[in-house]
Amino acid sequence: MKVGDLVKIIEMKDEPQYYGKTGIITHIDDACQIHGTWGGCAIIPGVDTFEIAQKCCICGKEFFGYGNNPWPLKPNGKCCDKCNIMVIKTRLIERK
C-alpha cells in the first residue's frame, strides 16, 4: 500500500457511513493511519477493514476482489471480471 493507491472501505469502526466508500490514498501518517479522498476519517489498519485495488493486466483498469487468471493471454498477473468474461473465456472456447 502506498500513496496513490485506490482503496475501498469495507468497515470503519464506529463510522458506518464510510461503508463502501472508495478513494485515493493521499498520505500515511506517523501512526500508520491512512488518509485519503474518501472523507475526513483516516483508516486504521488492524481496526478498520479495507481493500486495495489491483490493476488488470489486460485492460489496465483498477478492480477490487480476487481477480482472475489471465492465461492464455498473459502468463501471469490478474485480470478483472470484465476481461475474464469477454476475452479469456472467448479465447479458451476458440482454442477447442
Side-chain angles (χ1 to χ4, degrees), residues 9-10 21-22 38 42 55 58 65 94 96:
I9 298 170
I10 298 167
K21 286 195 174 195
T22 59
W38 49 83
K55 187 169 277 197
I58 295 172
E94 289 176 0
K96 290 183 179 183

Side-chain angles (χ1 to χ4, degrees), residues 6-76:
L6 179 64
V7 172
K8 180 178 182 180
I9 298 170
I10 298 167
E11 181 183 16
M12 187 176 278
K13 185 177 181 189
D14 300 326
E15 299 289 346
Q17 70 273 20
Y18 282 87
Y19 171 79
K21 286 195 174 195
T22 59
I24 305 294
I25 296 174
T26 56
H27 71 281
I28 301 170
D29 64 25
D30 293 339
C32 296
Q33 295 181 357
I34 304 163
H35 301 266
T37 60
W38 49 83
C41 290
I43 295 171
I44 303 171
V47 175
D48 302 322
T49 308
F50 61 97
E51 184 177 9
I52 304 292
Q54 300 181 64
K55 187 169 277 197
C56 176
C57 67
I58 295 172
C59 70
K61 293 181 181 176
E62 292 178 321
F63 68 91
F64 294 101
Y66 294 108
N68 302 284
N69 185 347
W71 183 88
L73 296 182
K74 300 281 183 171
N76 51 35

